[in-house]
Amino acid sequence: MASANEVQHGARRQKLVSDILLVLFEGKFAPGQRLRLEHLAEQFEVSVTPVREALVELAGIGVVELQPNRGAVLRPFGPRQVEEICQVRRILECEAVRSVCGRIAPFELELLESQFAELDSAKRNKRWSQKTREQDSQLHELIAERCGSERLAYEIGRYKVLFRTLRDARHLRRSSRDYYAEMNENAEHLEIVRAIKANDSNRASDAMAYHIEKSVEALIADLFDPQQIAADRRESFLTRQTVSS
């Protein structure tokens, strides 16, 4: 069992990873930019050791590349990368939710059902946004923990900070404009919970796939401007044409 110091150290590292990702998603780092340990340590008011650990973790999920004699270099990040990230998430979490059916107690599912139903009909404001994110984390963590596969739960955990920071970046943008229209994740979560409650693994997997598909659309629309989205689509099309020829 991890000691209290190890738990605190891990929590600080995860927060730093999230903080670096949030700055990236806000467009304050450029693709190909070298991320210097000393500059990041000064920016986030920490020592270089947790920064080094955070960059190793970010390299492990493909956000930065650790290059000889250059250190950490930021990899491209745009709509296509969001789609690829969510493709990985769909593969992992659809399998997890399929496997979790029958593994969560009915009283837990009933509580989740009532919480998501309440949020789905609640007034939308900053408090609603915060509570929605808390419930999102609770559901996805529960599915990973109870799926019955340590390896699958581990892989979901590796990407957890990345998924959550993307989600938080979207909510922060909406909150800054006090605009919450078409944010329907509570209804999507409610369908996932009801499918698990019905012990219907196919329905649960389909509900999770739909939820992640809608998340991709929303993230791209909220995090990137139309010109960047159009440019990314053109580049992706030209890449496919080159490969096919």
Side-chain angles (χ1 to χ4, degrees), residues 12 19 62 143 146 231 235:
R12 286 194 297 268
D19 289 344
I143 290 170
R146 304 285 183 85
E235 181 180 347

Side-chain angles (χ1 to χ4, degrees), residues 15 18-28 125-134 161-181 183 185 218-219 221-224:
K15 184 180 185 306
S18 179
D19 289 344
I20 294 172
L21 285 170
L22 198 55
V23 172
L24 162 63
F25 298 154
E26 290 173 350
K28 295 179 181 177
N125 49 33
K126 289 184 179 180
R127 185 177 180 279
W128 172 89
S129 173
Q130 179 62 38
K131 190 63 178 176
T132 291
R133 284 178 280 163
E134 290 173 1
V161 174
L162 180 57
F163 297 153
R164 288 186 182 177
T165 308
L166 279 167
R167 176 203 66 192
D168 289 349
R170 180 191 178 219
H171 271 262
L172 288 172
R173 293 218 175 171
R174 290 294 186 112
S175 295
S176 66
R177 294 177 288 159
D178 196 25
Y179 180 66
Y180 303 97
M183 299 187 78
E185 54 260 60
L219 286 167
D222 282 348
L223 296 181
F224 305 101

Side-chain angles (χ1 to χ4, degrees), residues 59-116:
I61 55 176
V63 174
V64 302
E65 183 178 356
L66 300 179
Q67 298 181 352
N69 303 319
R70 289 198 68 197
V73 176
L74 187 63
R75 301 185 67 183
F77 178 76
R80 181 169 52 171
Q81 283 70 39
V82 170
E83 290 175 344
E84 291 174 352
I85 290 166
C86 290
Q87 180 184 30
V88 172
R89 183 185 183 191
R90 184 168 55 248
I91 293 168
L92 295 173
E93 296 208 38
C94 284
E95 180 58 32
V97 79
R98 180 185 294 278
S99 301
V100 87
C101 289
R103 296 176 181 270
I104 301 176
F107 78 90
E108 293 177 280
L109 293 170
E110 288 169 6
L111 178 59
L112 285 169
E113 184 177 17
S114 66
Q115 289 170 333
F116 282 121

Side-chain angles (χ1 to χ4, degrees), residues 5 31 39 81 89 112 125 150 159 189 210 212 232 236 239:
N5 286 338
H39 291 174
Q81 283 70 39
R89 183 185 183 191
L112 285 169
N125 49 33
E150 290 185 5
Y159 286 89
H189 287 139
Y210 178 80
I212 295 173
D232 189 89
S236 296
T239 299

